[in-house]
Amino acid sequence: VLSATLIPVGGVCAVWVGPDCVSLLQPNPPEVELRDSVGSRVTTGDYTACLRLAKQGTSGFIAIVGDVEAPVVGGVARFPNSSVGNAGENYTFVFAISEGDCANETAVVATVSSSPFKVQHGDPASITVVTAPANATAGEAFGTQPQVAFTDNGGNLVETGQDLELFVEL
């Protein structure tokens, strides 16, 4: 009987920096251990850990940016290049360890899920026009007022965290 165990790490947050998403749990990426029935790490065999991302209240899995498969080496699999592309709450890592590769779901020998966590948006990186102005009459306010939104490099709406000013030139 084999089991998977999450390796405890610090706080959780994916943060967009410039054009790139910083790996989750930096400097501690997601890791999982494969253990035998007495709790010892399994250090032999051809095992692959498969990283999936779920969100409570939805079905199926959400795409992960970066690596979703890692070899189990010395009983541990690490995912240093994995990240979540969208801000949100109630995300959960789901690890499955298989003999061989992740494509063979019948070869899964152990699974484990993380506690729910939140992924915060990054810094504002662009402005998107939500509603274009319309119905203009000289000297009067637009009949349809323009609306814009600030988004991070991942396209996530930036609603909180900074006071932002927008200057418009006509």
Side-chain angles (χ1 to χ4, degrees), residues 67-151:
D67 299 331
V68 295
E69 292 188 23
V72 177
V73 178
V76 178
R78 293 176 176 85
F79 296 87
N81 299 316
S82 301
S83 61
V84 177
N86 293 311
E89 296 184 9
N90 297 315
Y91 285 116
T92 305
F93 285 131
V94 180
F95 293 93
I97 298 181
S98 297
E99 292 182 294
D101 63 37
C102 292
N104 186 358
E105 293 186 20
T106 61
V108 172
V109 297
T111 61
V112 66
S113 296
S114 72
S115 297
F117 59 91
K118 177 180 181 178
V119 177
Q120 299 173 350
H121 63 73
D123 291 332
S126 64
I127 299 171
T128 303
V129 176
V130 177
T131 305
N135 304 321
T137 302
E140 294 182 23
F142 289 110
T144 301
Q145 291 292 308
Q147 292 182 334
V148 297
F150 293 94
T151 56

Side-chain angles (χ1 to χ4, degrees), residues 13-82:
C13 180
V15 178
W16 288 91
V17 176
D20 302 314
C21 184
V22 176
S23 180
L24 284 168
L25 304 172
Q26 282 289 2
N28 302 311
E31 297 181 345
V32 64
E33 293 179 319
L34 180 60
R35 295 187 175 267
D36 61 20
S37 59
V38 294
S40 299
R41 280 188 182 172
V42 175
T43 58
T44 60
D46 180 24
Y47 296 102
T48 301
C50 315
L51 176 62
R52 304 291 182 256
L53 181 68
K55 187 169 184 176
Q56 291 178 343
T58 63
S59 62
F61 293 109
I62 299 166
I64 291 177
V65 179
D67 299 331
V68 295
E69 292 188 23
V72 177
V73 178
V76 178
R78 293 176 176 85
F79 296 87
N81 299 316
S82 301

